[in-house]
Structures are given as C-alpha cells and as structure tokens.
Amino acid sequence: MTDTTTTPAYSETPEEREFELRASIGSYWTGGRLFIGMFTFLLASEAFAYFYLRSSNSGQLWRPRNVTAPTGIGWSIYAVVLVSSVLVIYGQWRMRRGSVIDWEVAGWTAVLGGLVALGLQIWQLTQLPFYPGSSGYASCFIGWAVMNIMMLFGATFWIETVLARSLRLRKVAADDGPVQLGGSPQAQIFRANVSACTYFWGFVAVASTLFWVMFYLI
Amino acid sequence: MTISAERESEVAYPDPTPPHAGGIQGWTSRPGWLSQHLGTAIVGAVAGYLIGHWLGNVIASGYNYVANSGVNAIANTGGLLLGALGWLIGIGALNYPLAKMVGMEPAPEQETTSWTRYFRYTADHKVVGLQYVIGVLLFLFTGGLLAMAIRTELLSPTSHVFGPGTYISIVSEHGTMMMMMATSAVVGPLGNWLVPIMIGARRTAFPRIEAFSFWIFSAGYLVILTALPYGGFPTGWTGYAPLQTQASGGMMSYLVGFALIGSGMMAAGFNLAVTIVNYRAPGMTWSRVPIFVWSILATCALLTLATPTLVAAGLFGILDHTAQTAFYVNEHGGSSYLWENLFWFFGHPEVYIMALPGFGIVGEILPVFTRKPLFAYKVAAAGMVGVALLSFFVWQHHLFQSGINPDMRPLFMLTTELISIPTGFIFLVGMGTLYKAKIRFEVPMLFALALFFNFLIGGVTGVFLSDVPVNVTVHGGFFVLSHFHYTIMGGLIFALFGGLYFWLPKMTGKTMNKKLGQIHFWMMFIFFNLTFFPMFIIGLLGQPRRVFEYQQNLQALNDFSSVSAFILGSSFLVFIANFAWSIFIKPTPAPPNPWNSLGLEWQTASPVPYYNFERIPVVLTDPYRYGEEGAPPVADLGEELVGAGAGPRAGTSTGETSATSAE
C-alpha cells in the first residue's frame, strides 16, 4: 500500500531560481492585496447592512432610544487596534532602516495589543445594554463584533507567525545576517511577508476607524 | 548567456524546504494508518460534531425560547461548525498554521505513487485536482438523484409520492447542492490540475490553501447533506427571508454549508488568481495566456470578491438563528430584503462563476478539433473580463418582483442587457473558429458544440427575462427554471464533461472508451433538450416552481419531461461505467498527446512529473497557431522544441490517434 518513492532530484538553473524567487515575492504582494480585497467585500456587506437597515428603519426600530454599545470598551478596542497598527507600520519602517530590534519589539507589542483587543471585543459582547434582536443597530453591532474578532484574529495570527519565523531563522541563517536585512532568498521572501502583513494591519486600522465612526459617533 | 547555456549550469536545490509541503515535520506526509487521512478526518468530524452539539445544548439550556421552539439552532450550528473543524483537524489542514505559530516551515512532502495520496491533505495540485473531480461528480450525482425524485413526484398532478413539505425540501436540497457544486465544478478539478501546467509553472502559489479549499468544500458537501435528516428547509436554493428565519433544523445546514463552500471558493480563487499573476513562465505574456486560463482568472476575481458577501449574508442568518439578532426580521428593525440584496450581489456573479470556465474549456477544445487558430482571441479574453466586471452591476434584476423601487428597474434592465454584449462576443469567437473548419467530431468536440446549441437557447431566453414586462409575466415559473438549466447545465455541465473527456487522458494517463463516450453524449444531449425544452412551454402555460401540484392539462408535458429526465439521468450512469471501466477495470494507457494539441499542458511528460516540468519552459508563442506554416514552436522546454513549427512531440499525427479508443 505504501508504494513510496523518494522525491526525485529537483534541480534549478540560476535563472529558474531567480524566477521562483520573484514569483514567491510577487505572490506575497498580490496575495496580501487580494486578501484585503476579500476582507473589504466582507466588511462592505456589514456596512451595507448597517446603512440599509438604518435607512429603511423598519418599525422605527433602527436605533430606539439611541442605544449605543458600551462606549468605554469600544473606544478602548479602537485605541488599542490603532496603536498596534501604527506600531506594526512603524516597526517595518525601522526595520528597513536596519533596526531589527525595533521591529521585533513593535511587532510583539502589536501581538499583545491584538490579543487585548480580542479580549476586549469578546468582553464587550457580554456587557451589551441591549438584546441582540432588539433593533437594527443591535443586530449590526453583533455582526460587526463577530467580523472584528475574525479580522483581529487573522491580523494577530499573521504578525505572530512572522515574528516566530524570524526567531527561528535567526539560528538558521546567521551567516547571511539577520533575516530582516539579509540578501538570501529566504530573507527576501520573509520581507515580502512582513510587507504584506504590515499592509493588512494598515487596512485593519482604516476599517476599525470607519466602523468606530459608524457605531459610536453617528 | 543563452537559455541553453544557463540551463547547462543547473544547480541542485539546496533548500531544505523546496516549494512543496507536508505537515508538521512531514507528519501528514508519512504514509500508513497512523498518519492523517480521510479516515482520521471522519473520526475528527464525528467527534467535533458530538462536542459541538453537546456544547450547544449546554449553552442554550437556560433559554426558554429554545425549549419552547423544540429546535436548538445553537446545538445544530455548534455541531456542524465543530464537525467541520474536526474534519479539517483530522485531515491535517491545521498542522501547517499551528507549525507556523512556532516559526516552523513544513518538511518536504514525500512523493508517492500510492493511491492513498488521494485520501490525504496534499500540496500537489494535480492530486487536489483529481480529488476535486471525484468530489464534484459526487456532488453532481447526489443532486441528480434528488432531481429524479422531483421528476418522479411531478409525474402526476394528483397522486403523490411525497408530501408537500418533503417535496419542497427535496427541491431546496437539489438546488442548493447543484449550485454549490457548480461554483467549483471547473475551477476545482480542471482549474487546479491544469492552470499551473498551462502557464508553465511548477507549483501553485499557495498549495496548502489550495488543499484547504478542497477539504472545506467536501466538508460543505457533508454539511448540506445533513439538512435532510434535520428536516430539510423550505426556501429553495435562494434561502429567502422571512421563510429562512421561520424555518427550523435544516436551515442551519444550508447556512453553515454555504458559508463553508463559500470559504472554499474564496480559497481556491485566491490561490489560482495569485498563481496566474505571478507564476507565468518566462515568455507567457498576457497575450499568450491560454483562453482557459483567462476564464479561470476572471472567475477567480469573482470568487474572491463576490463570495465574501455570501459568507457575510450566511453569517447574519446564522446569528439570527443562534444569537437572536434580527438582520432579516422586519418586526425587529431588520429587513428580509437585506438577505435578498446580499444574496444576489453574490448570486448573479455566481452565474458567471459558472458560465465563464465553460467558455474557457470550449475555447481550448475548438482550435484542437478544427485545426484552426482561436478566432479573435483577444476579444474572447476581453469579453471574459467584461462579463466579470459587469456581473457586479446586475443583481437587482432578481428583485424586479420583490419590492424594488420601480424607477430602478430600467437601470438594471439596461445593465442586464449590456452584459449580453461581452457574452455575445465570446459566443461569436466560437462561431468564428468553427467557420469553414474541418471538424473532427471526437467526444470532447461533441460536448463543446452542444454547449453552443444549449447556451444559445439559454442566452436568448435570458435576454427576454432581463426585460421587466417578460420578467413580471414569467417570474417564479418553469420558464425561468428552464432558462437557467439551459445556461448552467447546458453550458457548464456539458463543458465540464467535454473538458473531462479532453483532459482525463492527460490527468490519469488512461484512455476513455470512445463508444461509451459517444453514447453518453448523445443520450445526454438529446434527453437534456427533451427534458428542459418542454419546461419553457409548461412555464408559459403557468406552472409555478416549487409546487408539487399542477393543472391537469399539463400532465402530458410533465410526464414527457419526467421520462426524458430519467433517461438523462441514466446517461450519467454511462459516464460512470465508462470512467470505472476505462480508468480502473480495464485501463488502456493514453498517448502523451492524443489530440495533437499545441497546449503547453500536453507538451510535458506523461505522467506529469511532480514538478510538472523538468525545466521551467520558455514560452515562445500562443498555443493556437494551428495550420500555420512556419509558426514558431510553442515553448522551449529545455529538451526539444515543440509546437506548430516543430511537429507534434507526442509522435501522433492529426486525427490518427485518439484518446478514446473504439474498443
């Protein structure tokens, strides 16, 4: 049953090697943007639901008595996400200028921030002053909370895996210098991953701002 | 440095993590009963379902509304979601994400020729493609059996096999399964298997995401199957609220199932789109990309951007049933129209998710069997992109009868009619290729020609339906039903079978039986038309969809349609018999390039090596320069020049050898 053979010799010319490297780096670039596109349409559906129910105001039940989700927790989540996003972006900026430790500290702080934001978001769901089905606003808020959990989980997971990889590669590729700065294919692919991840964190900041305005300000 | 000189300086791959993958340190790729495979996935699914159901009961035990309703949607949803999670854990889909959390990359996957690889989570896109072939056919045949049940019930307007509730559940299950299957019918099997090879790549961009797409697709199949034991759902495949919010048990299977399938669609589309953009071989410029790849790229754009809306709509529905939100409940500040808008914002692009790959397949088949270049290749590619773009602007025509502002109707009527223009371009490209051609009527070509016949009827009736007056008249009846069966089954499914007969010899290395293929085709073509054409008349005479009783005077037409449907259904048995006979029971090896095609996928070795090409090819021209004297070879494969100018590599001459033996 286990008719297993070893992997055949896989060889590459230098030109093919360069091609594979460019393709891998390009895949991170394209994939990162496409991933944002997917999340944009997911969140746009939530925004559509928000404005659709708000404008239709069925039974005058869009937002009776102007109820709002717990503001303090909401502002805290937003602040933590924003700070984490800025840290990730700043960290990459510093990394490009050769300060690896700055990127690592900023990244791990962002991981912590992401976890805190996740915890706050889940806690907020237990503190709601309204029943989930009491109004259009209440329903949309629950929907947003679930999507926010998905988005924050994804962003935190991504940055954590990048950081964990950098720690492991520190041992593997020491002769090429830190993976954040080296010229090896592994290092170039790593930086493409960091770049895509940073771009996604920027998107998280923008999306959080828009939905923060929608649910807490207007 | 010349290409050949560079190739002579090849180096062995020194990286311990070459571009393919196993699980944590190769655990999943280690063969044997102790590794992860379909069996462990089933165990994981059952365990997950039981845990989720139990948790749901614990969570909901204190709520009176659950106790009073007699249905615990939280337990159902928990069971289905954790069941799907257990399925993924069992097959090994989460090994890699977990390994990444500690910074590990996967160990190399051991290449195996054992049949057991088809039951595993693998990074080989060819294995995933064949897994999809079986998965999609299973989906199709299950949905087909339900169609037989529907036609059996409609044999008589007064004597019933099923009760009305059971009947609508069967109709709903049939529609949902077929639509779920159709979204992945080509992208899954043929897209995954062929696209990397057609663009000269040795791998896909994200092979684990590709494998994930198949295993979550199969989880979606199992979840939607649970709808029937849960009591079914009464909404049809469209899941309209408020019926959705009032429905019980089986509705959760619909919502969770669609969310899972949607996730699989996004994953598959994401991976293939990134692969096409980044992994095209040197020389594979956009004007040389095969038309099938263009169709898959346009489809992937729709899959990745339209499907999130479906997932969001499904999430809102799940929340309405479990967390008691009111997205679709008019009485509590929600709106049933919200579902309709979100659903059709996905649903209409979905029509083109199903149609475009079909056109891509016939675009590949026609030049091979006419020995002519594809007529107006760039127009076909532009048409596909145009269809994909316009498909985002037509969804409201599904709501002409559902309370849409009447002032908006002309706008969406216009956009719907506009989309027929790029669609017409693609159709005319096919006609132009056939013009004055000496056609070889091989089995794949028969299916390709049938697509044009069927799609003409489906397309023209679609133009009728885009007009508000006609739409208002025939809405909700058998006319609409017949129209979309002509486009989806008459288009996509015929193209799928054409594609399978065309590419299975390359995919499996086995020759399909020609005689059985012809019998399959003629039975399917004739009885498809005899089944569905009368439904136009039945619809115009006023029979509504989803109702198990009808006027007495329509019985003759319904009976005619039902008997034809039974024979149509049995035509698939011929295919199954052919597949089983030709692939498993008495396999006949297929020649490397039986159709004498110039496509890059036919130029690589057979069976296709693990890395597809010994050397990354350098593409020199497009693959449609049939019959052109002095045309350059299609590609430099690093071995010998192949293509129109160099003659067939496989050593077969036009028409002399066929992948379908006549034995």
Side-chain angles (χ1 to χ4, degrees):
Chain A
M1 188 191 78
T2 55
D3 178 19
T4 305
T5 58
T6 53
T7 305
Y10 177 73
S11 63
E12 289 185 320
T13 63
E15 185 193 42
E16 287 173 334
R17 194 145 229 243
E18 183 62 25
F19 171 81
E20 288 282 353
L21 175 63
R22 280 203 311 272
S24 290
I25 292 171
S27 295
Y28 276 109
W29 195 95
T30 315
R33 273 68 180 173
L34 200 54
F35 190 58
I36 287 172
M38 284 162 58
F39 250 98
T40 301
F41 273 79
L42 187 76
L43 296 177
S45 306
E46 165 70 18
F48 179 83
Y50 177 95
F51 288 108
Y52 191 88
L53 296 184
R54 184 186 172 113
S55 60
S56 56
N57 198 11
S58 308
Q60 307 298 309
L61 280 172
W62 159 247
R63 198 172 178 178
R65 299 180 305 283
N66 214 23
V67 290
T68 305
T71 313
I73 306 174
W75 280 66
S76 305
I77 296 168
Y78 175 57
V80 171
V81 170
L82 204 61
V83 168
S84 301
S85 301
V86 169
L87 276 174
V88 172
I89 294 165
Y90 173 75
Q92 195 209 14
W93 183 74
R94 292 291 298 157
M95 188 181 91
R96 283 177 176 168
R97 276 152 189 77
S99 182
V100 172
I101 190 71
D102 284 8
W103 173 75
E104 288 182 344
V105 171
W108 285 113
T109 311
V111 171
L112 184 66
L115 291 174
V116 169
L118 270 171
L120 285 170
Q121 182 63 83
I122 292 167
W123 182 48
Q124 190 187 32
L125 284 174
T126 68
Q127 305 295 316
L128 297 178
F130 45 73
Y131 185 74
S134 59
S135 65
Y137 174 90
S139 300
C140 285
F141 184 80
I142 304 285
W144 156 245
V146 173
M147 287 188 185
N148 199 26
I149 288 169
M150 289 161 56
M151 184 168 67
L152 290 174
F153 179 81
T156 308
F157 174 81
W158 195 348
I159 187 77
E160 194 280 336
T161 58
V162 172
L163 288 158
R165 186 74 184 142
S166 76
L167 291 180
R168 194 165 286 273
L169 288 178
R170 188 181 284 173
K171 300 168 190 167
V172 176
D175 54 334
D176 186 48
V179 72
Q180 293 88 342
L181 305 172
S184 69
Q186 242 174 359
Q188 291 182 55
I189 292 171
F190 174 83
R191 283 199 295 276
N193 193 4
V194 171
S195 172
C197 176
T198 306
Y199 208 77
F200 186 70
W201 270 94
F203 167 77
V204 170
V206 172
S208 297
T209 304
L210 290 174
F211 282 93
W212 173 71
V213 169
M214 281 161 57
F215 283 107
Y216 298 103
L217 291 191
I218 61 173
Chain B
M1 186 184 253
T2 63
I3 291 168
S4 56
E6 283 175 350
R7 282 179 165 161
E8 281 166 12
S9 64
E10 69 179 59
V11 292
Y13 201 98
D15 194 323
T17 57
H20 58 294
I24 299 175
Q25 295 303 294
W27 184 38
T28 55
S29 62
R30 191 174 299 133
W33 289 106
L34 292 176
S35 62
Q36 286 168 294
H37 45 66
L38 182 63
T40 52
I42 293 170
V43 171
V46 172
Y49 177 83
L50 293 174
I51 293 169
H53 205 274
W54 172 76
L55 268 177
N57 277 324
V58 170
I59 291 168
S61 59
Y63 293 96
N64 289 334
Y65 75 85
V66 175
N68 295 336
S69 70
V71 175
N72 186 350
I74 299 173
N76 289 0
T77 309
L80 295 174
L81 284 176
L82 287 197
L85 184 65
W87 174 262
L88 293 174
I89 292 171
I91 198 65
L94 300 193
N95 292 355
Y96 180 63
L98 292 175
K100 276 184 83 79
M101 289 189 74
V102 289
M104 283 161 56
E105 288 293 312
E109 185 174 83
Q110 286 177 293
E111 190 194 0
T112 172
T113 53
S114 166
W115 55 270
T116 57
R117 68 189 188 276
Y118 295 106
F119 298 91
R120 294 179 191 282
Y121 196 81
T122 173
D124 185 343
H125 69 90
K126 297 180 289 298
V127 174
V128 175
L130 283 169
Q131 286 172 332
Y132 258 115
V133 169
I134 301 300
V136 161
L137 290 178
L138 201 60
F139 237 120
L140 177 68
F141 297 144
T142 312
L145 283 175
L146 292 164
M148 297 300 103
I150 293 168
R151 289 316 312 177
T152 304
E153 170 57 42
L154 292 178
L155 278 168
S156 166
T158 49
S159 304
H160 299 300
V161 180
F162 308 111
T166 307
Y167 177 74
I168 190 63
S169 292
I170 291 171
V171 169
S172 302
E173 184 84 357
H174 161 75
T176 307
M177 292 203 81
M178 287 303 201
M179 285 300 188
M180 285 178 167
M181 173 277 301
T183 51
S184 304
V186 173
V187 170
L190 300 179
N192 279 311
W193 204 98
L194 288 165
V195 164
I197 306 178
M198 283 179 139
I199 61 172
R202 285 175 147 181
R203 50 170 292 194
T204 64
F206 299 105
R208 288 164 221 95
I209 290 179
E210 176 187 54
F212 172 81
S213 80
F214 169 74
W215 288 101
I216 201 163
F217 168 82
S218 52
Y221 169 75
L222 295 174
V223 166
I224 193 62
L225 271 185
T226 64
L228 288 176
Y230 270 135
F233 53 98
T235 58
W237 86 277
T238 53
Y240 269 18
L243 207 49
Q244 180 196 114
T245 50
Q246 297 157 4
S248 59
M251 204 71 231
M252 302 316 300
S253 302
Y254 168 91
L255 292 167
V256 174
F258 244 138
L260 294 176
I261 293 277
S263 304
M265 289 156 61
M266 285 190 287
F270 175 83
N271 173 55
L272 282 177
V274 175
T275 303
I276 293 167
V277 170
N278 292 288
Y279 276 86
R280 282 171 293 118
M284 178 65 80
T285 58
W286 287 111
S287 60
R288 292 174 182 169
V289 167
I291 202 67
F292 177 69
V293 176
W294 269 111
S295 76
I296 294 293
L297 183 62
T299 305
C300 289
L302 296 178
L303 284 171
T304 46
L305 299 181
T307 314
T309 310
L310 172 75
V311 175
L315 172 67
F316 298 158
I318 291 170
L319 288 173
D320 275 4
H321 280 87
T322 54
Q324 297 294 299
T325 55
F327 281 101
Y328 306 133
V329 185
N330 298 321
E331 298 79 9
H332 293 275
S335 172
S336 51
Y337 293 127
L338 175 61
W339 166 267
E340 295 171 18
N341 276 288
L342 290 174
F343 181 82
W344 284 115
F345 187 82
F346 152 78
H348 203 83
E350 191 204 11
V351 171
Y352 297 100
I353 287 170
M354 295 183 279
L356 287 174
F359 282 121
I361 290 172
V362 297
E364 293 296 328
I365 291 176
L366 291 187
V368 174
F369 294 103
T370 57
R371 309 314 290 176
K372 284 179 66 187
L374 185 67
F375 177 74
Y377 158 87
K378 288 182 180 172
V379 173
M384 286 170 179
V385 175
V387 167
L389 283 174
L390 277 173
S391 70
F392 282 109
F393 300 97
V394 299
W395 86 96
Q396 284 267 342
H397 71 226
H398 292 278
L399 307 181
F400 281 161
Q401 291 287 300
S402 306
I404 181 179
N405 182 342
D407 292 340
M408 296 295 284
R409 286 174 170 174
L411 173 66
F412 283 96
M413 188 172 92
L414 184 67
T415 57
T416 307
E417 287 173 350
L418 270 180
I419 208 168
S420 65
I421 295 173
T423 313
F425 284 169
I426 302 170
F427 197 91
L428 290 175
V429 165
M431 295 300 103
T433 309
L434 289 171
Y435 182 66
K436 287 187 174 177
K438 289 180 182 173
I439 301 172
R440 290 158 59 195
F441 290 99
E442 295 285 352
V443 176
M445 187 63 173
L446 293 174
F447 277 99
L449 293 173
L451 176 140
F452 286 103
F453 180 85
N454 297 335
F455 201 86
L456 182 65
I457 297 171
V460 169
T461 50
V463 177
F464 290 154
L465 284 168
S466 69
D467 289 324
V468 175
V470 177
N471 192 293
V472 169
T473 308
V474 300
H475 181 88
F478 266 60
F479 188 91
V480 178
L481 183 150
S482 186
H483 154 72
F484 69 70
H485 277 87
Y486 259 96
T487 53
I488 298 170
M489 186 170 181
L492 175 79
I493 302 301
F494 273 78
L496 173 66
F497 279 110
L500 287 177
Y501 278 107
F502 185 63
W503 280 300
L504 271 179
K506 189 71 183 178
M507 295 166 78
T508 63
K510 310 290 192 308
T511 298
M512 293 285 278
N513 185 286
K514 184 174 182 176
K515 191 73 81 184
L516 287 173
Q518 287 170 332
I519 293 170
H520 171 212
F521 168 75
W522 286 111
M523 278 178 75
M524 188 171 159
F525 178 66
I526 292 170
F527 289 99
F528 165 78
N529 280 284
L530 293 182
T531 300
F532 290 103
F533 199 85
M535 291 187 195
F536 283 123
I537 303 165
I538 293 170
L540 289 174
L541 291 173
Q543 183 170 332
R545 292 162 65 186
R546 301 172 183 166
V547 179
F548 80 145
E549 286 182 335
Y550 54 87
Q551 290 167 222
Q552 194 79 48
N553 64 335
L554 296 177
Q555 184 172 7
L557 278 169
N558 269 295
D559 286 355
F560 183 80
S561 187
S562 287
V563 172
S564 300
F566 298 144
I567 305 174
L568 171 64
S570 60
S571 74
F572 294 112
L573 296 178
V574 178
F575 174 79
I576 294 172
N578 191 358
F579 190 81
W581 178 262
S582 305
I583 307 293
F584 300 114
I585 299 170
K586 196 180 179 191
T588 309
N593 190 354
W595 314 115
N596 198 17
S597 168
L598 294 179
L600 197 50
E601 74 275 21
W602 296 100
Q603 314 306 336
T604 189
S606 281
V608 180
Y610 189 85
Y611 291 105
N612 299 341
F613 299 95
E614 196 177 323
R615 301 261 65 86
I616 293 177
V618 176
V619 178
L620 303 173
T621 185
D622 68 71
Y624 303 117
R625 300 178 77 164
Y626 292 97
E628 197 177 319
E629 288 295 325
V634 171
D636 173 4
L637 295 179
E639 300 160 354
E640 56 179 309
L641 295 183
V642 294
R649 180 180 182 225
T652 58
S653 57
T654 306
E656 285 180 357
T657 310
S658 161
T660 48
S661 73
E663 58 189 69

